[in-house]
């Protein structure tokens, strides 16, 4: 059932998005761990289609919000609108009221709009005119981000970045995959081809199963040691936060479940580590200027290889 | 005659030393077996980082195409993981294929070294 779920989701998404199996698997881990995902890649690497197909095969509600520089928080969470007919204020819910919200190009919106998502992401509710409204369950923000070198982008504040469980990088596809993408696009893309692989009650059952996945004390110590190691590394100015560890343990659980296990092994942690830490670690600027710091992902891998897992 | 005696005794002594080095203690306990495997992996692959996991170590050994049953080793590893990280009962007896793999990798290293 567990491993079937991963392969079934990947199989369905593959019908419309070619060569994104790894990324699809990570999205599933993030969803089952009740986390949010940050997708980073240049325009045109199937980020939106991936999100749509993923939501469809899980039978989840999906909405997309295109973030722009002139956007207001109201455009995301909604607000009270005066109804001329009934002469009353009515709640008009924003696109955040869905299961999967695709926040497209999140870093094009000004910080106050980005912050509007914070409450939704953390508390699973929004406050409109002092009234708290619960969001549907499950709720997941899938935000796409353009690389910072692009024009007209605002960097996401660390506090908001920390709320994303994983960052999934979507690089350009290989030549072989690119040929397949072009071939696929010769005929119209049909999202209807994507079939739902799990029902809503089954999905809810899976969420509770993931929460039952055992994490031994030694694995918890291992996680803490990794965090300490990131903080003591001279090349890092901001190491892993406690929230990062919470996200790491939840995502490791979801990965263990999808691998058909009822307990977490060090390999689950190692598999999720780069995706959970890559957007959280800040490298020391002086070391970067000296050119002595590798890419952050390489650094994370170096750090974890210095920490002995429980054996 | 003296030279012949010396040659016989020297070869006998050499044979005894070699035999002693080849003698391996019986591994009956699963934890000891995996401890032995860890030591053997470290000896065979000195470049293995401190952070290697069982799966990574076993995968590395697998590339050597050794004559062991990888299926049995994977099964034993899964059981050991269940015991080690999942609170399952300790699998007994010690998995023979894991011990065999450790012996092949260590090339005569004795337990307790």
């Amino acid at each position: 059932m567990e491993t079937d779920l991963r392969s079934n989701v990947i199989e369905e998404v593959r019908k419309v998005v070619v060569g994104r199996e790894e990324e699809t698997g990570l999205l599933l881990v993030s969803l089952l761990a009740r986390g949010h995902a940050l997708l980073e890649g240049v325009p045109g690497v199937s980020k939106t289609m991936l999100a749509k197909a993923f939501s469809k095969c899980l039978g989840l509600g999906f909405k997309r919000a295109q973030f722009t520089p002139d956007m207001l928080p109201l455009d995301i969470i909604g607000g009270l609108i005066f109804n001329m007919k009934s002469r009353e204020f009515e709640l008009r819910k924003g696109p955040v009221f869905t299961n999967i919200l695709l926040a497209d190009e999140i870093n094009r919106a000004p910080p106050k709009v980005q912050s509007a998502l914070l409450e939704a992401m953390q508390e699973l509710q929004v406050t409109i005119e002092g009234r708290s409204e619960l969001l549907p369950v499950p709720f997941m923000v899938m935000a796409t981000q353009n690389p910072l070198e692009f024009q007209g982008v605002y960097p996401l504040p660390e506090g908001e970045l920390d709320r994303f469980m994983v960052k999934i990088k979507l690089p350009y596809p290989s030549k072989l995959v690119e040929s397949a993408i072009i071939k696929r696009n010769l005929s119209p893309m049909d999202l209807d081809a994507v079939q739902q692989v799990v029902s809503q009650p089954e999905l809810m059952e899976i969420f509770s199963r993931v929460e039952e996945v055992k994490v031994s004390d030694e694995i918890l110590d291992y996680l803490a040691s990794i965090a300490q190691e990131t903080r003591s590394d001279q090349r890092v100015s901001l190491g892993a936060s406690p929230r990062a560890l919470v996200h790491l343990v939840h995502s490791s659980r979801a990965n263990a479940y999808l691998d058909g296990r009822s307990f977490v092994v060090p390999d689950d942690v190692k598999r999720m580590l780069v995706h959970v830490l890559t957007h959280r670690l800040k490298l020391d600027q002086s070391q970067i200027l000296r050119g002595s710091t590798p890419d952050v992902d390489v650094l994370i891998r170096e750090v974890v290889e210095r920490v002995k897992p429980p054996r | 005659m003296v030279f012949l005696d010396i040659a016989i005794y020297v070869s006998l002594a050499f044979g005894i030393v070699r035999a002693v080095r080849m003698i391996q203690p019986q591994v009956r306990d699963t934890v000891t077996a995996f401890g032995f495997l860890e030591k053997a992996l470290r000896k065979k692959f000195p470049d293995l980082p401190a952070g290697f996991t069982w799966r990574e170590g076993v995968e590395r050994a697998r590339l050597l195409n050794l004559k062991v049953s990888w299926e049995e080793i994977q099964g034993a590893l899964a059981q050991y993981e269940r015991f080690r990280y999942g609170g399952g009962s300790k699998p007994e007896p010690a998995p023979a294929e894991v011990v065999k793999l450790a012996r092949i990798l260590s090339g005569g290293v004795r337990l307790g070294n």
Side-chain angles (χ1 to χ4, degrees), chain B residues 4-5 9 15-16 22 29 57 79 82-83 89 91 93 96 101 113:
Chain B
L4 185 65
D5 282 350
Y9 281 115
I16 290 168
M22 293 301 288
D29 179 64
Q79 280 191 323
R82 179 171 293 280
F83 155 68
S89 56
L101 173 65
N113 279 0

Side-chain angles (χ1 to χ4, degrees), chain A residues 116-252:
Chain A
L117 270 182
L118 287 182
E119 187 189 6
M121 291 167 70
Q122 190 67 22
E123 310 290 334
L124 305 180
Q125 64 172 30
V126 291
T127 307
I128 304 168
E129 299 289 331
R131 220 168 78 185
S132 292
E133 294 283 337
L134 289 176
L135 296 173
V137 179
F139 174 71
M140 180 187 190
V141 173
M142 232 184 255
T144 73
Q145 182 180 233
N146 291 123
L148 286 181
E149 306 83 59
F150 277 50
Q151 287 189 351
V153 297
Y154 299 85
L156 291 175
E158 282 81 1
E160 191 169 337
L161 278 176
D162 205 31
R163 280 169 170 81
F164 285 100
M165 179 173 274
V166 291
K167 177 174 173 180
I168 304 170
K169 293 179 183 172
L170 287 98
Y172 281 119
S174 66
K175 192 178 167 187
L176 195 71
V177 172
E178 209 146 23
S179 306
I181 292 170
I182 300 166
K183 195 175 172 187
R184 174 72 49 85
N185 279 272
L186 289 175
S187 52
M189 197 72 84
D190 187 12
L191 202 59
D192 289 340
V194 177
Q195 301 293 310
Q196 187 175 337
V197 297
V198 66
S199 69
Q200 195 81 354
E202 281 171 339
L203 193 59
M204 290 301 138
E205 172 67 23
I206 290 170
F207 277 116
S208 12
R209 291 267 188 85
V210 169
E211 281 166 9
E212 287 164 11
V213 170
K214 184 177 164 56
V215 188
S216 71
D217 289 347
E218 281 179 299
I219 293 284
L220 295 177
D221 285 345
Y222 176 53
L223 292 172
S225 303
I226 292 171
Q228 294 284 333
E229 196 69 23
T230 64
R231 292 172 203 148
S232 60
D233 195 299
Q234 297 293 311
R235 299 165 295 176
V236 178
S237 62
L238 184 65
S241 67
R243 188 188 283 137
L245 292 189
V246 173
H247 283 175
L248 185 55
V249 76
H250 285 307
S251 56
S252 300

Side-chain angles (χ1 to χ4, degrees), chain A residues 218 267 270 305 307 310-311, chain B residues 42 51-53 56 84-85:
Chain A
E218 281 179 299
D267 301 82
K270 286 182 93 172
E305 291 305 354
V307 182
R311 281 196 280 264
Chain B
R42 284 186 180 284
F52 85 90
T53 63
E56 289 167 347
R84 194 73 183 74
Y85 312 114

Side-chain angles (χ1 to χ4, degrees), chain A residues 48-60:
Chain A
T48 309
M49 188 51 100
L50 175 63
K52 279 184 183 172
F54 178 75
S55 316
K56 179 137 198 281
C57 71
L58 292 167
L60 297 173

Side-chain angles (χ1 to χ4, degrees), chain A residues 12 36 83 95 107 112 193-194 226-227 244 247 251 263 266-267 301:
Chain A
E12 288 305 314
H36 308 285
N83 186 329
N107 55 345
K112 62 179 176 182
V194 177
I226 292 171
H247 283 175
S251 56
F263 52 90
D267 301 82
R301 286 192 187 98

